[in-house]
Amino acid sequence: MSARASRPNGILAEVGLARIAAVTATVVVAVALQSTVLARLTLLGVIPQLILVVVVCLAFTDGERVGVVTGFFGGLLQDLLLPQSITGLTALVYTLVAFAVGMFRIYAPQDSVLAPVFAVTVATAVAEFGYAAMAIMLGQPWVGLEFTIKVAGLVILYNTLLTPFVYPLVRRVANRYRPERVYRW
Amino acid sequence: MLLLAFVALSIAVVTLDFRQNSGGPIKRARDVTVTVVAPIQRGFTTVTRPVGSFFSSLAELTNLRGENERLKARLAQAEADADGLPQIEAENEELRRDLELKKSWRTMDSVLAPVISNSPSNYKWALVIGKGKRQGIRVDNAVMNSEGLVGKIIRVDRNYSTVLLLVDPAAAATARVGDLGDSGLVEGNGGGERLTLSSIDVTSDVSVGDEVVTLGRDQGIFPPGIEIGFVAEVGGSAAALERLITVEPSVDFKSLQFVTVLLETGDELQPKKKAK
């Protein structure tokens, strides 16, 4: 059997099963950490949104396609773990944010240390206020404006501080499991 | 194209969630997600809790000696109080039946459950605990700890349950101020914030420091007399129709490690009349 015949074709070859498994494991670990360890190590009672940091880092590393898929499933996983909240809302917000990060990353300076940190800061601000606005519009019981601003501000700070630790790990996973580029003639 | 597909998918999920009632695919997806993720969360909690406890112990080292002395004194007092307790409880239950009062939470069957994980969101206050249907837990069971009312069960799985905390904006409990005081509705305002006590008449005699407990009247799911907190602030002008009262919760919602689930609720709390 030739090497060409043994290689999977189509979308699986482009995405890669190992890559899907690695990204899924990374997101699940982020969810578990966010709801256990980080939920206890809060900053003034606020939990960092590690799933969002992972999604943005993946979008920054691998582009908008990977970002959109990871953002949707990462957000949906978080939604499904939240009781009495609007399922699909976090998925929608993370999908849009990850797409924007994936699109704008080409304008970031190559090998810049600050670029992913800046991307996470801006993405977190958009995601936090975007989620709050949509949740209020859809009639979810909500806290006061002052509380929302306090939470959003602290999450932006916390996520920004986490990025220098999370981004190298995510980039290592992304590089390790990125499939060979498939050329079709 | 991919973006449009996933945005459409997200909107479809939101719509489905709005349209479904108690069952439906979203509920099934939630059940499967909790069943799959909860064991992983349990693993993380089991591994990291001793480390967290070690660091918090270091931070509290200076207070430990004084706390130890206080606890010894309270233990001695409790042991003295407990001597006549079984007889008093039996008499109390007998009198409650005669007076057709609701069953006291102190005599109810209960289950002690470890906290597995917290809500991953900053706008939803809930816990997953490590006991479920197999231990007799059902939706609407009251959840408390030694400090007071924690919340209620909103979802039950075979081995896990989800607790909505009283501080969540979607949570509420009928309450009364003091032993025979005015009744109202306590509602959550988010973690770290005080609770709001509404529907209290403007002429009522409520003052700062008064104890607030569950009312437990009618078909309320909480048994009467569980401590909620203390009145922290009383506002509202003379022209207003009701007082604006805030309540400092008794429970420290940030450091819950174990909770007690009361296994009776709703109709079961109503007194069972003795056969004449």
PDB file of all heavy atoms in Angstrom, chain A residues 7-8 12 15 25 42 46 63-64 68-69 72 85 91-92 103 108 118 127 133-134 150 154 161 165 167 171 184-185:
ATOM      1  N   ARG A   7      -2.903   7.718   3.660  1.00  0.00           N
ATOM      2  CA  ARG A   7      -3.144   9.036   4.263  1.00  0.00           C
ATOM      3  C   ARG A   7      -4.620   9.423   4.122  1.00  0.00           C
ATOM      4  O   ARG A   7      -5.179   9.272   3.036  1.00  0.00           O
ATOM      5  CB  ARG A   7      -2.269  10.070   3.547  1.00  0.00           C
ATOM      6  CG  ARG A   7      -2.184  11.388   4.274  1.00  0.00           C
ATOM      7  CD  ARG A   7      -1.207  12.291   3.584  1.00  0.00           C
ATOM      8  NE  ARG A   7       0.158  11.841   3.793  1.00  0.00           N
ATOM      9  CZ  ARG A   7       1.193  12.288   3.095  1.00  0.00           C
ATOM     10  NH1 ARG A   7       1.037  13.167   2.145  1.00  0.00           N
ATOM     11  NH2 ARG A   7       2.401  11.849   3.334  1.00  0.00           N
ATOM     12  N   PRO A   8      -5.298   9.890   5.175  1.00  0.00           N
ATOM     13  CA  PRO A   8      -6.700  10.253   5.029  1.00  0.00           C
ATOM     14  C   PRO A   8      -6.864  11.451   4.105  1.00  0.00           C
ATOM     15  O   PRO A   8      -6.023  12.337   4.074  1.00  0.00           O
ATOM     16  CB  PRO A   8      -7.134  10.597   6.464  1.00  0.00           C
ATOM     17  CG  PRO A   8      -5.881  10.888   7.184  1.00  0.00           C
ATOM     18  CD  PRO A   8      -4.814  10.109   6.534  1.00  0.00           C
ATOM     19  N   LEU A  12     -10.656  15.727   6.911  1.00  0.00           N
ATOM     20  CA  LEU A  12      -9.907  15.137   8.022  1.00  0.00           C
ATOM     21  C   LEU A  12      -8.409  15.331   7.851  1.00  0.00           C
ATOM     22  O   LEU A  12      -7.678  15.550   8.808  1.00  0.00           O
ATOM     23  CB  LEU A  12     -10.233  13.647   8.160  1.00  0.00           C
ATOM     24  CG  LEU A  12     -11.541  13.316   8.861  1.00  0.00           C
ATOM     25  CD1 LEU A  12     -11.708  11.806   8.971  1.00  0.00           C
ATOM     26  CD2 LEU A  12     -11.587  13.919  10.251  1.00  0.00           C
ATOM     27  N   VAL A  15      -7.731  18.971   8.725  1.00  0.00           N
ATOM     28  CA  VAL A  15      -7.833  19.302  10.152  1.00  0.00           C
ATOM     29  C   VAL A  15      -6.935  18.387  10.983  1.00  0.00           C
ATOM     30  O   VAL A  15      -6.138  18.848  11.791  1.00  0.00           O
ATOM     31  CB  VAL A  15      -9.309  19.191  10.618  1.00  0.00           C
ATOM     32  CG1 VAL A  15      -9.416  19.484  12.105  1.00  0.00           C
ATOM     33  CG2 VAL A  15     -10.176  20.135   9.835  1.00  0.00           C
ATOM     34  N   ALA A  25      -9.003  18.257  24.149  1.00  0.00           N
ATOM     35  CA  ALA A  25      -8.439  18.033  25.491  1.00  0.00           C
ATOM     36  C   ALA A  25      -8.047  19.355  26.140  1.00  0.00           C
ATOM     37  O   ALA A  25      -8.297  19.575  27.335  1.00  0.00           O
ATOM     38  CB  ALA A  25      -7.238  17.102  25.388  1.00  0.00           C
ATOM     39  N   THR A  42      -9.900  33.246  43.136  1.00  0.00           N
ATOM     40  CA  THR A  42     -10.497  34.396  42.456  1.00  0.00           C
ATOM     41  C   THR A  42      -9.737  35.683  42.774  1.00  0.00           C
ATOM     42  O   THR A  42      -9.023  35.764  43.781  1.00  0.00           O
ATOM     43  CB  THR A  42     -11.959  34.582  42.883  1.00  0.00           C
ATOM     44  OG1 THR A  42     -11.992  34.696  44.313  1.00  0.00           O
ATOM     45  CG2 THR A  42     -12.810  33.408  42.466  1.00  0.00           C
ATOM     46  N   VAL A  46     -13.708  37.391  41.487  1.00  0.00           N
ATOM     47  CA  VAL A  46     -13.986  37.239  40.054  1.00  0.00           C
ATOM     48  C   VAL A  46     -13.133  36.105  39.469  1.00  0.00           C
ATOM     49  O   VAL A  46     -11.944  36.004  39.749  1.00  0.00           O
ATOM     50  CB  VAL A  46     -13.702  38.567  39.312  1.00  0.00           C
ATOM     51  CG1 VAL A  46     -13.755  38.384  37.810  1.00  0.00           C
ATOM     52  CG2 VAL A  46     -14.716  39.616  39.746  1.00  0.00           C
ATOM     53  N   GLY A  63      -5.433  30.869  13.212  1.00  0.00           N
ATOM     54  CA  GLY A  63      -6.324  31.571  12.286  1.00  0.00           C
ATOM     55  C   GLY A  63      -7.795  31.456  12.605  1.00  0.00           C
ATOM     56  O   GLY A  63      -8.198  30.781  13.549  1.00  0.00           O
ATOM     57  N   GLU A  64      -8.600  32.119  11.762  1.00  0.00           N
ATOM     58  CA  GLU A  64     -10.024  32.283  12.066  1.00  0.00           C
ATOM     59  C   GLU A  64     -10.825  30.985  11.975  1.00  0.00           C
ATOM     60  O   GLU A  64     -11.808  30.803  12.682  1.00  0.00           O
ATOM     61  CB  GLU A  64     -10.643  33.376  11.194  1.00  0.00           C
ATOM     62  CG  GLU A  64     -10.833  33.050   9.730  1.00  0.00           C
ATOM     63  CD  GLU A  64      -9.567  33.277   8.918  1.00  0.00           C
ATOM     64  OE1 GLU A  64      -8.516  33.565   9.513  1.00  0.00           O
ATOM     65  OE2 GLU A  64      -9.636  33.144   7.688  1.00  0.00           O
ATOM     66  N   VAL A  68     -12.998  29.904  15.041  1.00  0.00           N
ATOM     67  CA  VAL A  68     -14.463  29.829  15.000  1.00  0.00           C
ATOM     68  C   VAL A  68     -14.958  28.498  15.584  1.00  0.00           C
ATOM     69  O   VAL A  68     -15.868  28.477  16.428  1.00  0.00           O
ATOM     70  CB  VAL A  68     -14.966  30.007  13.538  1.00  0.00           C
ATOM     71  CG1 VAL A  68     -16.387  29.518  13.380  1.00  0.00           C
ATOM     72  CG2 VAL A  68     -14.877  31.470  13.139  1.00  0.00           C
ATOM     73  N   VAL A  69     -14.337  27.392  15.160  1.00  0.00           N
ATOM     74  CA  VAL A  69     -14.781  26.069  15.641  1.00  0.00           C
ATOM     75  C   VAL A  69     -14.518  25.933  17.150  1.00  0.00           C
ATOM     76  O   VAL A  69     -15.390  25.509  17.917  1.00  0.00           O
ATOM     77  CB  VAL A  69     -14.060  24.944  14.848  1.00  0.00           C
ATOM     78  CG1 VAL A  69     -14.470  23.580  15.379  1.00  0.00           C
ATOM     79  CG2 VAL A  69     -14.383  25.055  13.371  1.00  0.00           C
ATOM     80  N   PHE A  72     -16.861  28.232  19.181  1.00  0.00           N
ATOM     81  CA  PHE A  72     -18.227  27.720  19.282  1.00  0.00           C
ATOM     82  C   PHE A  72     -18.303  26.592  20.315  1.00  0.00           C
ATOM     83  O   PHE A  72     -19.135  26.641  21.233  1.00  0.00           O
ATOM     84  CB  PHE A  72     -18.726  27.213  17.916  1.00  0.00           C
ATOM     85  CG  PHE A  72     -20.066  26.551  17.992  1.00  0.00           C
ATOM     86  CD1 PHE A  72     -21.224  27.318  18.073  1.00  0.00           C
ATOM     87  CD2 PHE A  72     -20.184  25.176  18.022  1.00  0.00           C
ATOM     88  CE1 PHE A  72     -22.470  26.718  18.177  1.00  0.00           C
ATOM     89  CE2 PHE A  72     -21.420  24.557  18.126  1.00  0.00           C
ATOM     90  CZ  PHE A  72     -22.567  25.332  18.212  1.00  0.00           C
ATOM     91  N   SER A  85     -29.238  29.444  32.380  1.00  0.00           N
ATOM     92  CA  SER A  85     -28.729  30.553  31.582  1.00  0.00           C
ATOM     93  C   SER A  85     -29.046  30.247  30.123  1.00  0.00           C
ATOM     94  O   SER A  85     -29.480  29.147  29.801  1.00  0.00           O
ATOM     95  CB  SER A  85     -27.225  30.729  31.781  1.00  0.00           C
ATOM     96  OG  SER A  85     -26.570  29.573  31.338  1.00  0.00           O
ATOM     97  N   ALA A  91     -21.405  30.626  23.264  1.00  0.00           N
ATOM     98  CA  ALA A  91     -20.905  30.049  22.010  1.00  0.00           C
ATOM     99  C   ALA A  91     -20.905  31.100  20.905  1.00  0.00           C
ATOM    100  O   ALA A  91     -19.919  31.240  20.165  1.00  0.00           O
ATOM    101  CB  ALA A  91     -21.766  28.851  21.621  1.00  0.00           C
ATOM    102  N   LEU A  92     -21.980  31.858  20.812  1.00  0.00           N
ATOM    103  CA  LEU A  92     -22.106  32.894  19.782  1.00  0.00           C
ATOM    104  C   LEU A  92     -21.038  33.988  19.972  1.00  0.00           C
ATOM    105  O   LEU A  92     -20.347  34.378  19.020  1.00  0.00           O
ATOM    106  CB  LEU A  92     -23.515  33.511  19.840  1.00  0.00           C
ATOM    107  CG  LEU A  92     -23.802  34.656  18.875  1.00  0.00           C
ATOM    108  CD1 LEU A  92     -23.672  34.204  17.430  1.00  0.00           C
ATOM    109  CD2 LEU A  92     -25.202  35.228  19.115  1.00  0.00           C
ATOM    110  N   MET A 103      -8.858  36.970  12.027  1.00  0.00           N
ATOM    111  CA  MET A 103      -8.767  37.841  10.851  1.00  0.00           C
ATOM    112  C   MET A 103      -7.721  38.944  11.040  1.00  0.00           C
ATOM    113  O   MET A 103      -6.988  39.280  10.117  1.00  0.00           O
ATOM    114  CB  MET A 103     -10.133  38.498  10.571  1.00  0.00           C
ATOM    115  CG  MET A 103     -11.197  37.557  10.063  1.00  0.00           C
ATOM    116  SD  MET A 103     -10.784  36.817   8.471  1.00  0.00           S
ATOM    117  CE  MET A 103     -11.049  38.194   7.380  1.00  0.00           C
ATOM    118  N   ALA A 108      -0.711  41.869  13.103  1.00  0.00           N
ATOM    119  CA  ALA A 108       0.146  41.915  14.300  1.00  0.00           C
ATOM    120  C   ALA A 108       1.594  41.716  13.884  1.00  0.00           C
ATOM    121  O   ALA A 108       1.879  40.973  12.938  1.00  0.00           O
ATOM    122  CB  ALA A 108      -0.266  40.817  15.268  1.00  0.00           C
ATOM    123  N   PHE A 118      -2.229  41.549  23.906  1.00  0.00           N
ATOM    124  CA  PHE A 118      -3.128  42.635  23.494  1.00  0.00           C
ATOM    125  C   PHE A 118      -4.418  42.057  22.898  1.00  0.00           C
ATOM    126  O   PHE A 118      -5.525  42.548  23.180  1.00  0.00           O
ATOM    127  CB  PHE A 118      -2.409  43.533  22.477  1.00  0.00           C
ATOM    128  CG  PHE A 118      -3.232  44.682  21.987  1.00  0.00           C
ATOM    129  CD1 PHE A 118      -3.535  45.748  22.827  1.00  0.00           C
ATOM    130  CD2 PHE A 118      -3.735  44.692  20.697  1.00  0.00           C
ATOM    131  CE1 PHE A 118      -4.317  46.802  22.383  1.00  0.00           C
ATOM    132  CE2 PHE A 118      -4.524  45.744  20.238  1.00  0.00           C
ATOM    133  CZ  PHE A 118      -4.813  46.801  21.091  1.00  0.00           C
ATOM    134  N   ALA A 127     -15.911  40.457  24.574  1.00  0.00           N
ATOM    135  CA  ALA A 127     -16.716  39.287  24.969  1.00  0.00           C
ATOM    136  C   ALA A 127     -17.528  39.577  26.236  1.00  0.00           C
ATOM    137  O   ALA A 127     -18.713  39.240  26.320  1.00  0.00           O
ATOM    138  CB  ALA A 127     -15.814  38.074  25.181  1.00  0.00           C
ATOM    139  N   ALA A 133     -24.567  42.531  27.337  1.00  0.00           N
ATOM    140  CA  ALA A 133     -25.591  43.252  26.571  1.00  0.00           C
ATOM    141  C   ALA A 133     -26.618  42.276  25.995  1.00  0.00           C
ATOM    142  O   ALA A 133     -27.837  42.500  26.092  1.00  0.00           O
ATOM    143  CB  ALA A 133     -24.930  44.041  25.444  1.00  0.00           C
ATOM    144  N   MET A 134     -26.130  41.164  25.416  1.00  0.00           N
ATOM    145  CA  MET A 134     -27.059  40.211  24.788  1.00  0.00           C
ATOM    146  C   MET A 134     -27.908  39.489  25.832  1.00  0.00           C
ATOM    147  O   MET A 134     -29.096  39.243  25.612  1.00  0.00           O
ATOM    148  CB  MET A 134     -26.278  39.207  23.942  1.00  0.00           C
ATOM    149  CG  MET A 134     -25.852  39.795  22.621  1.00  0.00           C
ATOM    150  SD  MET A 134     -25.460  38.530  21.421  1.00  0.00           S
ATOM    151  CE  MET A 134     -23.709  38.568  21.492  1.00  0.00           C
ATOM    152  N   LYS A 150     -17.427  46.143  37.174  1.00  0.00           N
ATOM    153  CA  LYS A 150     -16.376  45.635  38.065  1.00  0.00           C
ATOM    154  C   LYS A 150     -15.893  44.258  37.593  1.00  0.00           C
ATOM    155  O   LYS A 150     -14.690  44.010  37.477  1.00  0.00           O
ATOM    156  CB  LYS A 150     -16.928  45.530  39.501  1.00  0.00           C
ATOM    157  CG  LYS A 150     -15.923  45.024  40.521  1.00  0.00           C
ATOM    158  CD  LYS A 150     -16.573  44.651  41.836  1.00  0.00           C
ATOM    159  CE  LYS A 150     -16.432  43.181  42.098  1.00  0.00           C
ATOM    160  NZ  LYS A 150     -17.002  42.704  43.347  1.00  0.00           N
ATOM    161  N   LEU A 154     -12.133  43.344  36.025  1.00  0.00           N
ATOM    162  CA  LEU A 154     -11.245  42.381  36.676  1.00  0.00           C
ATOM    163  C   LEU A 154     -10.962  41.171  35.781  1.00  0.00           C
ATOM    164  O   LEU A 154      -9.852  40.633  35.799  1.00  0.00           O
ATOM    165  CB  LEU A 154     -11.865  41.925  38.005  1.00  0.00           C
ATOM    166  CG  LEU A 154     -11.801  42.954  39.131  1.00  0.00           C
ATOM    167  CD1 LEU A 154     -12.645  42.531  40.317  1.00  0.00           C
ATOM    168  CD2 LEU A 154     -10.356  43.185  39.580  1.00  0.00           C
ATOM    169  N   LEU A 161      -3.235  38.916  32.503  1.00  0.00           N
ATOM    170  CA  LEU A 161      -2.118  38.395  33.295  1.00  0.00           C
ATOM    171  C   LEU A 161      -1.876  36.906  33.038  1.00  0.00           C
ATOM    172  O   LEU A 161      -0.747  36.421  33.152  1.00  0.00           O
ATOM    173  CB  LEU A 161      -2.393  38.616  34.792  1.00  0.00           C
ATOM    174  CG  LEU A 161      -2.426  40.069  35.269  1.00  0.00           C
ATOM    175  CD1 LEU A 161      -2.859  40.145  36.728  1.00  0.00           C
ATOM    176  CD2 LEU A 161      -1.056  40.724  35.084  1.00  0.00           C
ATOM    177  N   PHE A 165       1.331  32.988  30.359  1.00  0.00           N
ATOM    178  CA  PHE A 165       1.528  31.596  30.778  1.00  0.00           C
ATOM    179  C   PHE A 165       0.781  30.625  29.863  1.00  0.00           C
ATOM    180  O   PHE A 165       1.247  29.527  29.597  1.00  0.00           O
ATOM    181  CB  PHE A 165       1.044  31.408  32.232  1.00  0.00           C
ATOM    182  CG  PHE A 165       1.720  32.317  33.202  1.00  0.00           C
ATOM    183  CD1 PHE A 165       1.122  33.490  33.627  1.00  0.00           C
ATOM    184  CD2 PHE A 165       2.996  32.018  33.676  1.00  0.00           C
ATOM    185  CE1 PHE A 165       1.746  34.351  34.509  1.00  0.00           C
ATOM    186  CE2 PHE A 165       3.641  32.870  34.551  1.00  0.00           C
ATOM    187  CZ  PHE A 165       3.025  34.038  34.972  1.00  0.00           C
ATOM    188  N   TYR A 167      -0.449  31.255  26.589  1.00  0.00           N
ATOM    189  CA  TYR A 167      -0.161  31.315  25.152  1.00  0.00           C
ATOM    190  C   TYR A 167       0.962  30.355  24.722  1.00  0.00           C
ATOM    191  O   TYR A 167       0.790  29.628  23.737  1.00  0.00           O
ATOM    192  CB  TYR A 167       0.163  32.757  24.745  1.00  0.00           C
ATOM    193  CG  TYR A 167       0.460  32.902  23.281  1.00  0.00           C
ATOM    194  CD1 TYR A 167      -0.542  32.725  22.329  1.00  0.00           C
ATOM    195  CD2 TYR A 167       1.751  33.181  22.831  1.00  0.00           C
ATOM    196  CE1 TYR A 167      -0.274  32.833  20.973  1.00  0.00           C
ATOM    197  CE2 TYR A 167       2.030  33.288  21.488  1.00  0.00           C
ATOM    198  CZ  TYR A 167       1.024  33.120  20.568  1.00  0.00           C
ATOM    199  OH  TYR A 167       1.301  33.213  19.226  1.00  0.00           O
ATOM    200  N   ARG A 171       0.312  27.429  22.023  1.00  0.00           N
ATOM    201  CA  ARG A 171       1.080  27.446  20.760  1.00  0.00           C
ATOM    202  C   ARG A 171       1.853  26.135  20.575  1.00  0.00           C
ATOM    203  O   ARG A 171       1.934  25.608  19.471  1.00  0.00           O
ATOM    204  CB  ARG A 171       2.057  28.627  20.768  1.00  0.00           C
ATOM    205  CG  ARG A 171       2.651  28.888  19.386  1.00  0.00           C
ATOM    206  CD  ARG A 171       3.480  30.124  19.339  1.00  0.00           C
ATOM    207  NE  ARG A 171       4.607  30.058  20.270  1.00  0.00           N
ATOM    208  CZ  ARG A 171       5.550  30.979  20.356  1.00  0.00           C
ATOM    209  NH1 ARG A 171       5.474  32.058  19.604  1.00  0.00           N
ATOM    210  NH2 ARG A 171       6.537  30.864  21.203  1.00  0.00           N
ATOM    211  N   ARG A 184      -3.033  20.003  -3.288  1.00  0.00           N
ATOM    212  CA  ARG A 184      -3.795  19.273  -4.314  1.00  0.00           C
ATOM    213  C   ARG A 184      -3.442  19.832  -5.685  1.00  0.00           C
ATOM    214  O   ARG A 184      -3.423  21.054  -5.876  1.00  0.00           O
ATOM    215  CB  ARG A 184      -5.299  19.429  -4.065  1.00  0.00           C
ATOM    216  CG  ARG A 184      -5.740  18.745  -2.799  1.00  0.00           C
ATOM    217  CD  ARG A 184      -7.244  18.624  -2.751  1.00  0.00           C
ATOM    218  NE  ARG A 184      -7.644  17.960  -1.514  1.00  0.00           N
ATOM    219  CZ  ARG A 184      -7.821  18.592  -0.358  1.00  0.00           C
ATOM    220  NH1 ARG A 184      -7.655  19.886  -0.287  1.00  0.00           N
ATOM    221  NH2 ARG A 184      -8.161  17.913   0.725  1.00  0.00           N
ATOM    222  N   TRP A 185      -3.148  18.941  -6.595  1.00  0.00           N
ATOM    223  CA  TRP A 185      -2.761  19.395  -7.936  1.00  0.00           C
ATOM    224  C   TRP A 185      -3.879  19.117  -8.901  1.00  0.00           C
ATOM    225  O   TRP A 185      -4.611  18.179  -8.773  1.00  0.00           O
ATOM    226  CB  TRP A 185      -1.482  18.668  -8.374  1.00  0.00           C
ATOM    227  CG  TRP A 185      -0.337  18.943  -7.432  1.00  0.00           C
ATOM    228  CD1 TRP A 185       0.006  18.193  -6.373  1.00  0.00           C
ATOM    229  CD2 TRP A 185       0.536  20.041  -7.447  1.00  0.00           C
ATOM    230  NE1 TRP A 185       1.073  18.734  -5.715  1.00  0.00           N
ATOM    231  CE2 TRP A 185       1.433  19.891  -6.360  1.00  0.00           C
ATOM    232  CE3 TRP A 185       0.682  21.178  -8.271  1.00  0.00           C
ATOM    233  CZ2 TRP A 185       2.434  20.807  -6.080  1.00  0.00           C
ATOM    234  CZ3 TRP A 185       1.690  22.063  -7.990  1.00  0.00           C
ATOM    235  CH2 TRP A 185       2.564  21.889  -6.896  1.00  0.00           C
TER     236      TRP A 185
END
